[in-house]
């Protein structure tokens, strides 16, 4: 019997630059000698691969490939709402799972450039109620780089019972932070790397502490609106259930039938670690403006998008189907993951949950490419799709 789906988010396998690398604001003509690969054009290898996955009911969602902000390929497949027969389209909003962490990270960096947050500051500088062993040793740097020792708040004892009682975003933030206060880090801060939803929830709590605003209001005004992301927002569960332009996530039950994940969700709203909602176009815009230095002051963009912690090599594609190109080096950055792939630096993030959410965004600053894949089907096909795009973008370079 299958366990009840959780909202646990996972990181993607892609990412940014090595420590100290200054990313270019724009790429020069000399860096763009190659035409758009034929495999990425409509009707090409990539298009055919995704269409085949959709025909086999292995992919449902939307994707967008852009170069220098111009659309190369845009596709949507499957149903946003099977019960009401609403198809996915370019304007469909998708839950992002862990890709949301990029927005939380940007909020922290905006406050850092205003001297309201310091990367080396201890947790206790901003939040009270933690034991001294945590408050005096965990830093903002540790939280941003998943080296704090904290794990996944959504897996802590008591979380499922507590989430069912929260009815507002304010209760969600307070409840999550309180659960983390009473948890024990799995290792000493800085002694290792462990993907941490708890760490990003605490970053959201720090945003609230230093601004006097709710996390949701701050990100809405200073991240989404500042980036011109007019469709991006946090939605409550009732809004998710009722909105016709919002994709319902689907996962297979033990008989293989697609089950609506919204009906299984118990939480009222997403949090700083996951489940903001956006479109492919909005997420592509965010990635493009970020690497071009339009969302942070000069100097702060390379600080965010440069490697801080080396990571173990990742496989070329999670299912081993040969669609991808392995990174030559992987780094945890201040938010995204950085990768050196066939001589190109990229930054990216992925996300997913057993409710049926699977997402990926990857940006190639040196060549101006952006790849966004948003799916409302559970499974490993989104990383495979992103890996194939990576392979075709980096081929011959």
């Amino acid at each position: 019997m299958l366990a009840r789906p959780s909202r646990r988010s996972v990181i993607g396998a892609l990412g940014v630059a090595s420590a100290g690398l200054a990313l270019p604001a724009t790429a020069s003509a000399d860096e763009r000698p190659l035409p758009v690969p034929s495999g990425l054009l409509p009707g090409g290898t990539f298009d055919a691969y995704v269409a085949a996955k959709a025909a086999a009911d292995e992919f449902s969602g939307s994707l967008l490939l852009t170069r220098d902000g111009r659309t190369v390929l845009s596709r949507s497949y499957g149903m946003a709402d099977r019960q009401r027969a609403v198809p996915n389209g370019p304007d469909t909003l998708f839950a992002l799972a862990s890709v949301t962490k990029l927005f939380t990270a940007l909020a922290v960096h905006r406050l850092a450039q205003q001297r309201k947050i310091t990367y080396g500051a201890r947790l206790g500088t901003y939040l009270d109620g933690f034991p001294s062993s945590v408050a005096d040793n965990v830093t903002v740097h540790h939280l941003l780089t998943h080296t704090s020792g904290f794990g996944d708040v959504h897996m802590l004892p008591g979380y499922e019972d507590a989430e069912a009682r929260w009815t507002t975003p304010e209760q969600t933030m307070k409840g999550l932070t309180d659960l983390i206060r009473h948890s024990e880090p799995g290792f000493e801060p800085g002694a290792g790397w462990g993907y941490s939803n708890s760490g990003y929830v605490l970053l959201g709590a720090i945003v609230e502490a230093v601004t006097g605003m709710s996390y949701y209001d701050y990100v809405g005004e200073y991240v989404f609106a500042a980036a011109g992301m007019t469709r991006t927002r946090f939605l409550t569960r009732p809004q998710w259930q009722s909105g016709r332009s919002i994709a319902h996530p689907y996962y297979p039950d033990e008989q293989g039938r697609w089950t609506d994940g919204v009906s299984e969700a118990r939480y009222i709203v997403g949090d700083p670690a996951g489940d903001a909602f956006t479109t492919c176009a909005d997420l592509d815009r965010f990635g493009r403006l970020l690497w071009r230095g339009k969302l942070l002051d000069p100097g702060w963009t390379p600080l965010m998008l440069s490697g801080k912690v080396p990571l173990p090599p990742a496989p070329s594609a999670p299912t081993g189907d040969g669609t991808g190109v392995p990174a030559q080096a992987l780094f945890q950055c201040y938010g995204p993951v950085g990768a050196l792939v066939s001589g190109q630096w990229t930054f990216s993030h992925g996300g997913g949950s057993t409710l049926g959410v699977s997402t990926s965004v990857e940006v190639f600053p040196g060549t101006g490419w952006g790849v966004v894949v948003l799916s409302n089907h559970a499974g490993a096909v989104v990383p495979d799709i992103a890996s194939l795009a990576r392979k075709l973008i980096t081929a011959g370079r």
Side-chain angles (χ1 to χ4, degrees), residues 293-349:
K294 304 298 185 182
L295 301 182
L296 292 169
D297 292 344
W300 294 86
T301 298
L303 177 62
M304 178 177 176
L305 304 182
S306 58
K308 306 299 187 292
V309 179
L311 299 177
S316 60
T319 60
D321 66 356
T323 57
V325 175
Q328 294 163 295
L330 283 174
F331 296 87
Q332 178 63 59
C333 307
Y334 271 167
V337 172
L340 177 64
V341 185
S342 299
Q344 292 192 52
W345 293 111
T346 82
F347 67 89
S348 69
H349 212 297

Short mmCIF file of all heavy atoms in Angstrom, two decimals, residues 293-349:
data_model
loop_
_atom_site.label_atom_id
_atom_site.label_comp_id
_atom_site.label_asym_id
_atom_site.label_seq_id
_atom_site.Cartn_x
_atom_site.Cartn_y
_atom_site.Cartn_z
N GLY A 293 22.32 40.69 -13.91
CA GLY A 293 22.59 41.67 -12.87
C GLY A 293 21.52 42.71 -12.70
O GLY A 293 21.79 43.80 -12.18
N LYS A 294 20.27 42.39 -13.08
CA LYS A 294 19.19 43.36 -13.00
C LYS A 294 18.41 43.29 -11.69
O LYS A 294 17.59 44.17 -11.41
CB LYS A 294 18.21 43.14 -14.17
CG LYS A 294 18.85 43.21 -15.54
CD LYS A 294 19.45 44.57 -15.83
CE LYS A 294 19.98 44.65 -17.26
NZ LYS A 294 20.62 45.96 -17.54
N LEU A 295 18.64 42.26 -10.89
CA LEU A 295 17.86 42.09 -9.66
C LEU A 295 18.66 42.40 -8.40
O LEU A 295 18.09 42.46 -7.31
CB LEU A 295 17.31 40.66 -9.59
CG LEU A 295 16.40 40.25 -10.74
CD1 LEU A 295 15.89 38.84 -10.55
CD2 LEU A 295 15.24 41.23 -10.92
N LEU A 296 19.98 42.56 -8.54
CA LEU A 296 20.83 42.92 -7.42
C LEU A 296 21.78 44.02 -7.85
O LEU A 296 22.02 44.22 -9.04
CB LEU A 296 21.63 41.70 -6.94
CG LEU A 296 20.85 40.56 -6.28
CD1 LEU A 296 21.73 39.33 -6.13
CD2 LEU A 296 20.28 40.99 -4.93
N ASP A 297 22.34 44.72 -6.89
CA ASP A 297 23.32 45.77 -7.20
C ASP A 297 24.59 45.14 -7.77
O ASP A 297 24.86 43.95 -7.55
CB ASP A 297 23.66 46.56 -5.94
CG ASP A 297 22.50 47.41 -5.44
OD1 ASP A 297 21.55 47.62 -6.23
OD2 ASP A 297 22.54 47.85 -4.28
N PRO A 298 25.41 45.95 -8.50
CA PRO A 298 26.66 45.41 -9.05
C PRO A 298 27.52 44.75 -7.97
O PRO A 298 27.67 45.28 -6.87
CB PRO A 298 27.34 46.66 -9.62
CG PRO A 298 26.22 47.59 -9.95
CD PRO A 298 25.19 47.35 -8.88
N GLY A 299 28.07 43.63 -8.29
CA GLY A 299 28.90 42.89 -7.35
C GLY A 299 28.16 41.82 -6.59
O GLY A 299 28.75 40.81 -6.18
N TRP A 300 26.86 42.02 -6.39
CA TRP A 300 26.09 41.06 -5.59
C TRP A 300 25.61 39.88 -6.41
O TRP A 300 25.41 38.78 -5.87
CB TRP A 300 24.92 41.77 -4.90
CG TRP A 300 25.39 42.76 -3.89
CD1 TRP A 300 25.73 44.06 -4.11
CD2 TRP A 300 25.63 42.52 -2.51
NE1 TRP A 300 26.16 44.64 -2.95
CE2 TRP A 300 26.11 43.72 -1.94
CE3 TRP A 300 25.49 41.41 -1.67
CZ2 TRP A 300 26.43 43.84 -0.60
CZ3 TRP A 300 25.81 41.53 -0.34
CH2 TRP A 300 26.28 42.73 0.19
N THR A 301 25.44 40.07 -7.70
CA THR A 301 25.02 38.95 -8.53
C THR A 301 26.07 37.84 -8.57
O THR A 301 25.75 36.67 -8.31
CB THR A 301 24.68 39.42 -9.96
OG1 THR A 301 23.59 40.34 -9.89
CG2 THR A 301 24.31 38.25 -10.85
N PRO A 302 27.36 38.14 -8.89
CA PRO A 302 28.36 37.06 -8.86
C PRO A 302 28.54 36.47 -7.47
O PRO A 302 28.92 35.30 -7.34
CB PRO A 302 29.63 37.73 -9.36
CG PRO A 302 29.41 39.18 -9.23
CD PRO A 302 27.94 39.40 -9.39
N LEU A 303 28.26 37.25 -6.42
CA LEU A 303 28.34 36.70 -5.07
C LEU A 303 27.29 35.61 -4.88
O LEU A 303 27.57 34.55 -4.31
CB LEU A 303 28.15 37.81 -4.03
CG LEU A 303 28.14 37.37 -2.56
CD1 LEU A 303 29.48 36.76 -2.19
CD2 LEU A 303 27.81 38.54 -1.66
N MET A 304 26.09 35.85 -5.38
CA MET A 304 25.02 34.86 -5.27
C MET A 304 25.26 33.66 -6.18
O MET A 304 25.05 32.52 -5.78
CB MET A 304 23.68 35.50 -5.62
CG MET A 304 22.50 34.54 -5.57
SD MET A 304 20.93 35.38 -5.92
CE MET A 304 19.80 33.96 -5.90
N LEU A 305 25.75 33.93 -7.40
CA LEU A 305 25.83 32.89 -8.41
C LEU A 305 27.23 32.33 -8.59
O LEU A 305 27.67 32.02 -9.69
CB LEU A 305 25.33 33.45 -9.76
CG LEU A 305 23.93 34.02 -9.75
CD1 LEU A 305 23.54 34.50 -11.13
CD2 LEU A 305 22.91 33.01 -9.22
N SER A 306 27.97 32.20 -7.51
CA SER A 306 29.28 31.58 -7.57
C SER A 306 29.36 30.46 -6.53
O SER A 306 28.67 30.48 -5.52
CB SER A 306 30.40 32.61 -7.32
OG SER A 306 30.24 33.25 -6.08
N GLY A 307 30.20 29.47 -6.84
CA GLY A 307 30.24 28.27 -6.03
C GLY A 307 30.83 28.50 -4.65
O GLY A 307 31.84 29.18 -4.49
N LYS A 308 30.21 27.94 -3.65
CA LYS A 308 30.68 28.04 -2.26
C LYS A 308 31.12 26.70 -1.69
O LYS A 308 32.06 26.65 -0.91
CB LYS A 308 29.55 28.62 -1.39
CG LYS A 308 28.97 29.94 -1.88
CD LYS A 308 30.01 31.04 -1.93
CE LYS A 308 29.42 32.40 -2.26
NZ LYS A 308 28.92 32.52 -3.64
N VAL A 309 30.44 25.62 -2.07
CA VAL A 309 30.74 24.30 -1.52
C VAL A 309 30.79 23.30 -2.67
O VAL A 309 29.81 23.14 -3.40
CB VAL A 309 29.66 23.86 -0.52
CG1 VAL A 309 29.98 22.47 0.04
CG2 VAL A 309 29.53 24.87 0.62
N PRO A 310 31.94 22.60 -2.87
CA PRO A 310 31.99 21.56 -3.91
C PRO A 310 31.02 20.43 -3.59
O PRO A 310 30.87 20.03 -2.43
CB PRO A 310 33.44 21.08 -3.87
CG PRO A 310 34.19 22.14 -3.14
CD PRO A 310 33.23 22.75 -2.18
N LEU A 311 30.36 19.91 -4.63
CA LEU A 311 29.41 18.83 -4.46
C LEU A 311 29.89 17.60 -5.22
O LEU A 311 30.65 17.72 -6.19
CB LEU A 311 28.02 19.24 -4.98
CG LEU A 311 27.37 20.43 -4.28
CD1 LEU A 311 26.04 20.76 -4.96
CD2 LEU A 311 27.16 20.15 -2.80
N PRO A 312 29.46 16.42 -4.82
CA PRO A 312 29.85 15.20 -5.55
C PRO A 312 29.32 15.24 -6.97
O PRO A 312 28.30 15.87 -7.25
CB PRO A 312 29.20 14.07 -4.74
CG PRO A 312 28.89 14.68 -3.41
CD PRO A 312 28.64 16.13 -3.64
N PRO A 313 29.99 14.57 -7.90
CA PRO A 313 29.49 14.52 -9.28
C PRO A 313 28.10 13.92 -9.34
O PRO A 313 27.75 13.02 -8.57
CB PRO A 313 30.51 13.63 -9.99
CG PRO A 313 31.73 13.67 -9.14
CD PRO A 313 31.24 13.82 -7.73
N ALA A 314 27.30 14.43 -10.28
CA ALA A 314 25.95 13.91 -10.49
C ALA A 314 25.92 13.07 -11.76
O ALA A 314 26.70 13.30 -12.68
CB ALA A 314 24.95 15.06 -10.60
N PRO A 315 25.02 12.10 -11.84
CA PRO A 315 24.89 11.31 -13.07
C PRO A 315 24.37 12.17 -14.21
O PRO A 315 23.77 13.21 -13.99
CB PRO A 315 23.89 10.21 -12.69
CG PRO A 315 23.10 10.81 -11.57
CD PRO A 315 24.06 11.68 -10.81
N SER A 316 24.58 11.73 -15.44
CA SER A 316 24.14 12.50 -16.60
C SER A 316 22.64 12.62 -16.66
O SER A 316 22.10 13.62 -17.09
CB SER A 316 24.66 11.86 -17.89
OG SER A 316 24.16 10.55 -18.02
N ALA A 317 21.94 11.59 -16.25
CA ALA A 317 20.48 11.63 -16.21
C ALA A 317 20.02 10.65 -15.16
O ALA A 317 20.51 9.53 -15.09
CB ALA A 317 19.89 11.27 -17.57
N PRO A 318 19.05 11.03 -14.31
CA PRO A 318 18.65 10.17 -13.20
C PRO A 318 18.20 8.78 -13.63
O PRO A 318 18.37 7.83 -12.91
CB PRO A 318 17.50 10.96 -12.56
CG PRO A 318 17.79 12.39 -12.91
CD PRO A 318 18.40 12.33 -14.28
N THR A 319 17.59 8.63 -14.81
CA THR A 319 17.12 7.32 -15.23
C THR A 319 18.15 6.58 -16.07
O THR A 319 17.89 5.47 -16.52
CB THR A 319 15.81 7.44 -16.03
OG1 THR A 319 16.04 8.25 -17.18
CG2 THR A 319 14.73 8.07 -15.19
N GLY A 320 19.29 7.22 -16.35
CA GLY A 320 20.34 6.56 -17.09
C GLY A 320 20.00 6.30 -18.54
O GLY A 320 20.50 5.35 -19.14
N ASP A 321 19.14 7.13 -19.14
CA ASP A 321 18.74 6.87 -20.52
C ASP A 321 19.66 7.53 -21.54
O ASP A 321 19.40 7.50 -22.74
CB ASP A 321 17.29 7.32 -20.76
CG ASP A 321 17.12 8.83 -20.65
OD1 ASP A 321 18.10 9.53 -20.32
OD2 ASP A 321 16.00 9.31 -20.90
N GLY A 322 20.74 8.15 -21.07
CA GLY A 322 21.71 8.71 -21.98
C GLY A 322 21.34 10.04 -22.58
O GLY A 322 21.96 10.48 -23.55
N THR A 323 20.33 10.72 -22.04
CA THR A 323 19.90 11.99 -22.62
C THR A 323 20.81 13.14 -22.25
O THR A 323 20.80 14.18 -22.91
CB THR A 323 18.48 12.35 -22.16
OG1 THR A 323 18.46 12.40 -20.73
CG2 THR A 323 17.47 11.33 -22.66
N GLY A 324 21.60 13.01 -21.20
CA GLY A 324 22.29 14.17 -20.66
C GLY A 324 23.79 14.13 -20.79
O GLY A 324 24.39 13.16 -21.23
N VAL A 325 24.40 15.26 -20.38
CA VAL A 325 25.85 15.40 -20.32
C VAL A 325 26.22 15.65 -18.87
O VAL A 325 25.69 16.55 -18.24
CB VAL A 325 26.32 16.59 -21.19
CG1 VAL A 325 27.81 16.80 -21.02
CG2 VAL A 325 25.98 16.33 -22.65
N PRO A 326 27.11 14.85 -18.29
CA PRO A 326 27.45 15.05 -16.88
C PRO A 326 28.23 16.34 -16.68
O PRO A 326 29.00 16.77 -17.55
CB PRO A 326 28.31 13.83 -16.54
CG PRO A 326 28.87 13.39 -17.86
CD PRO A 326 27.82 13.70 -18.88
N ALA A 327 28.01 16.98 -15.55
CA ALA A 327 28.79 18.16 -15.20
C ALA A 327 30.22 17.76 -14.87
O ALA A 327 30.47 16.71 -14.30
CB ALA A 327 28.16 18.87 -14.01
N GLN A 328 31.16 18.63 -15.25
CA GLN A 328 32.55 18.37 -14.92
C GLN A 328 32.87 18.81 -13.49
O GLN A 328 33.83 18.36 -12.90
CB GLN A 328 33.45 19.12 -15.91
CG GLN A 328 33.33 18.58 -17.32
CD GLN A 328 33.87 19.55 -18.35
OE1 GLN A 328 33.34 20.63 -18.54
NE2 GLN A 328 34.94 19.16 -19.01
N ALA A 329 32.06 19.70 -12.97
CA ALA A 329 32.21 20.15 -11.58
C ALA A 329 30.88 20.71 -11.12
O ALA A 329 30.17 21.37 -11.88
CB ALA A 329 33.30 21.22 -11.48
N LEU A 330 30.52 20.41 -9.87
CA LEU A 330 29.29 20.90 -9.27
C LEU A 330 29.60 21.66 -8.00
O LEU A 330 30.47 21.25 -7.22
CB LEU A 330 28.35 19.74 -8.94
CG LEU A 330 27.55 19.08 -10.07
CD1 LEU A 330 26.81 17.87 -9.53
CD2 LEU A 330 26.57 20.07 -10.68
N PHE A 331 28.87 22.77 -7.78
CA PHE A 331 29.06 23.59 -6.59
C PHE A 331 27.71 24.03 -6.04
O PHE A 331 26.80 24.34 -6.81
CB PHE A 331 29.88 24.85 -6.90
CG PHE A 331 31.28 24.58 -7.35
CD1 PHE A 331 31.56 24.35 -8.69
CD2 PHE A 331 32.32 24.55 -6.44
CE1 PHE A 331 32.84 24.10 -9.13
CE2 PHE A 331 33.62 24.31 -6.86
CZ PHE A 331 33.88 24.08 -8.20
N GLN A 332 27.60 24.05 -4.72
CA GLN A 332 26.47 24.71 -4.10
C GLN A 332 26.77 26.19 -4.04
O GLN A 332 27.81 26.61 -3.54
CB GLN A 332 26.23 24.19 -2.67
CG GLN A 332 25.09 24.87 -1.95
CD GLN A 332 23.76 24.63 -2.64
OE1 GLN A 332 23.35 23.48 -2.79
NE2 GLN A 332 23.09 25.68 -3.06
N CYS A 333 25.88 26.99 -4.60
CA CYS A 333 26.02 28.44 -4.58
C CYS A 333 25.10 29.01 -3.50
O CYS A 333 24.52 28.27 -2.72
CB CYS A 333 25.70 29.01 -5.95
SG CYS A 333 26.65 28.24 -7.28
N TYR A 334 24.96 30.31 -3.46
CA TYR A 334 24.06 30.95 -2.51
C TYR A 334 22.63 30.91 -3.04
O TYR A 334 22.03 31.93 -3.36
CB TYR A 334 24.50 32.38 -2.25
CG TYR A 334 25.50 32.55 -1.11
CD1 TYR A 334 26.19 33.75 -0.96
CD2 TYR A 334 25.73 31.54 -0.20
CE1 TYR A 334 27.09 33.93 0.08
CE2 TYR A 334 26.64 31.70 0.84
CZ TYR A 334 27.31 32.90 0.97
OH TYR A 334 28.20 33.07 2.01
N GLY A 335 22.07 29.74 -3.16
CA GLY A 335 20.73 29.54 -3.67
C GLY A 335 20.71 28.43 -4.69
O GLY A 335 20.25 27.32 -4.42
N PRO A 336 21.20 28.70 -5.92
CA PRO A 336 21.19 27.64 -6.93
C PRO A 336 22.37 26.69 -6.78
O PRO A 336 23.20 26.83 -5.89
CB PRO A 336 21.30 28.44 -8.24
CG PRO A 336 22.02 29.68 -7.86
CD PRO A 336 21.63 29.99 -6.43
N VAL A 337 22.40 25.73 -7.69
CA VAL A 337 23.54 24.83 -7.84
C VAL A 337 24.29 25.26 -9.10
O VAL A 337 23.69 25.61 -10.11
CB VAL A 337 23.10 23.36 -7.94
CG1 VAL A 337 24.27 22.46 -8.29
CG2 VAL A 337 22.45 22.92 -6.64
N GLY A 338 25.61 25.28 -9.04
CA GLY A 338 26.43 25.66 -10.18
C GLY A 338 27.10 24.46 -10.81
O GLY A 338 27.44 23.51 -10.13
N ALA A 339 27.27 24.52 -12.13
CA ALA A 339 27.90 23.40 -12.82
C ALA A 339 28.78 23.91 -13.95
O ALA A 339 28.47 24.90 -14.60
CB ALA A 339 26.84 22.46 -13.39
N LEU A 340 29.88 23.20 -14.18
CA LEU A 340 30.70 23.39 -15.36
C LEU A 340 30.36 22.24 -16.30
O LEU A 340 30.61 21.08 -15.98
CB LEU A 340 32.18 23.37 -15.00
CG LEU A 340 33.16 23.48 -16.18
CD1 LEU A 340 32.99 24.83 -16.87
CD2 LEU A 340 34.59 23.31 -15.69
N VAL A 341 29.77 22.56 -17.45
CA VAL A 341 29.30 21.55 -18.39
C VAL A 341 29.89 21.84 -19.77
O VAL A 341 29.57 22.87 -20.37
CB VAL A 341 27.76 21.54 -18.47
CG1 VAL A 341 27.31 20.40 -19.38
CG2 VAL A 341 27.14 21.42 -17.09
N SER A 342 30.77 20.98 -20.24
CA SER A 342 31.39 21.15 -21.56
C SER A 342 31.95 22.56 -21.73
O SER A 342 31.79 23.19 -22.78
CB SER A 342 30.37 20.85 -22.67
OG SER A 342 29.91 19.53 -22.58
N GLY A 343 32.57 23.06 -20.69
CA GLY A 343 33.20 24.37 -20.74
C GLY A 343 32.27 25.53 -20.50
O GLY A 343 32.70 26.69 -20.53
N GLN A 344 30.99 25.27 -20.24
CA GLN A 344 30.04 26.34 -19.95
C GLN A 344 29.62 26.30 -18.49
O GLN A 344 29.37 25.24 -17.93
CB GLN A 344 28.78 26.19 -20.82
CG GLN A 344 28.98 26.43 -22.28
CD GLN A 344 27.64 26.55 -22.99
OE1 GLN A 344 26.78 27.33 -22.61
NE2 GLN A 344 27.48 25.78 -24.06
N TRP A 345 29.54 27.49 -17.89
CA TRP A 345 28.99 27.61 -16.56
C TRP A 345 27.48 27.73 -16.64
O TRP A 345 26.95 28.43 -17.51
CB TRP A 345 29.55 28.83 -15.84
CG TRP A 345 31.01 28.74 -15.54
CD1 TRP A 345 32.00 29.47 -16.11
CD2 TRP A 345 31.64 27.88 -14.59
NE1 TRP A 345 33.22 29.10 -15.60
CE2 TRP A 345 33.02 28.12 -14.66
CE3 TRP A 345 31.17 26.90 -13.71
CZ2 TRP A 345 33.94 27.45 -13.87
CZ3 TRP A 345 32.10 26.22 -12.91
CH2 TRP A 345 33.45 26.50 -13.00
N THR A 346 26.78 27.03 -15.77
CA THR A 346 25.32 27.13 -15.71
C THR A 346 24.92 27.28 -14.25
O THR A 346 25.67 26.93 -13.33
CB THR A 346 24.63 25.88 -16.28
OG1 THR A 346 24.60 24.84 -15.30
CG2 THR A 346 25.33 25.37 -17.53
N PHE A 347 23.72 27.82 -14.04
CA PHE A 347 23.14 27.74 -12.70
C PHE A 347 21.71 27.27 -12.81
O PHE A 347 21.02 27.54 -13.81
CB PHE A 347 23.25 29.06 -11.92
CG PHE A 347 22.45 30.21 -12.44
CD1 PHE A 347 21.15 30.40 -12.03
CD2 PHE A 347 23.01 31.13 -13.31
CE1 PHE A 347 20.41 31.48 -12.48
CE2 PHE A 347 22.29 32.21 -13.77
CZ PHE A 347 20.98 32.40 -13.35
N SER A 348 21.26 26.52 -11.81
CA SER A 348 19.95 25.89 -11.92
C SER A 348 19.40 25.50 -10.57
O SER A 348 20.08 25.58 -9.53
CB SER A 348 20.06 24.64 -12.79
OG SER A 348 20.81 23.65 -12.11
N HIS A 349 18.17 25.06 -10.60
CA HIS A 349 17.52 24.47 -9.43
C HIS A 349 16.40 23.58 -9.94
O HIS A 349 15.81 23.84 -10.98
CB HIS A 349 16.96 25.53 -8.49
CG HIS A 349 16.99 25.13 -7.05
ND1 HIS A 349 16.27 24.05 -6.56
CD2 HIS A 349 17.64 25.64 -5.99
CE1 HIS A 349 16.49 23.95 -5.25
NE2 HIS A 349 17.32 24.89 -4.88
#
